[in-house]
Amino acid sequence: MTATLEMPHVTACTATSCAYNHDGCHAYAVTINSSAACGTFLSLNAKGGLDVVAQVGACQRQDCVHNADLECRAPSITVGSTSADAGCLSYQAA
């Protein structure tokens, strides 16, 4: 039997140029890469995604206090505009 965990939700995203961000992030799941940037960020004029609130599917930022086995264990995260398009504003160094 495989145990499943509730994935943290993206409670807010201020990266307004992302195709998944329209009144919140609507990607099914986002990936946070090793520089704490949102790897799911997609700059297009079209809006996409699902009628869901995004979840954190994977986190590659191993030095984050919320990262356990490359999975985010924060209750929720915030994504925001950064110099690299969008990043995880909930990142905290371990």
Side-chain angles (χ1 to χ4, degrees):
M1 175 178 230
T2 302
T4 59
L5 298 173
E6 177 82 19
M7 294 189 298
H9 289 271
V10 178
T11 57
C13 179
T14 60
T16 57
S17 62
C18 182
Y20 290 110
N21 187 6
H22 42 97
D23 297 323
C25 182
H26 290 279
Y28 181 73
V30 300
T31 296
I32 304 302
N33 69 26
S34 60
S35 63
C38 180
T40 311
F41 177 86
L42 183 60
S43 182
L44 293 174
N45 290 330
K47 294 296 182 183
L50 304 170
D51 191 21
V52 297
V53 175
Q55 304 170 86
V56 181
C59 180
Q60 300 170 3
R61 188 69 194 237
Q62 294 180 2
D63 65 340
C64 181
V65 69
H66 302 295
N67 189 319
D69 301 322
L70 301 177
E71 300 292 336
C72 182
R73 300 289 194 253
S76 63
I77 71 162
T78 301
V79 174
S81 297
T82 65
S83 60
D85 299 320
C88 180
L89 303 181
S90 302
Y91 164 77
Q92 294 178 28

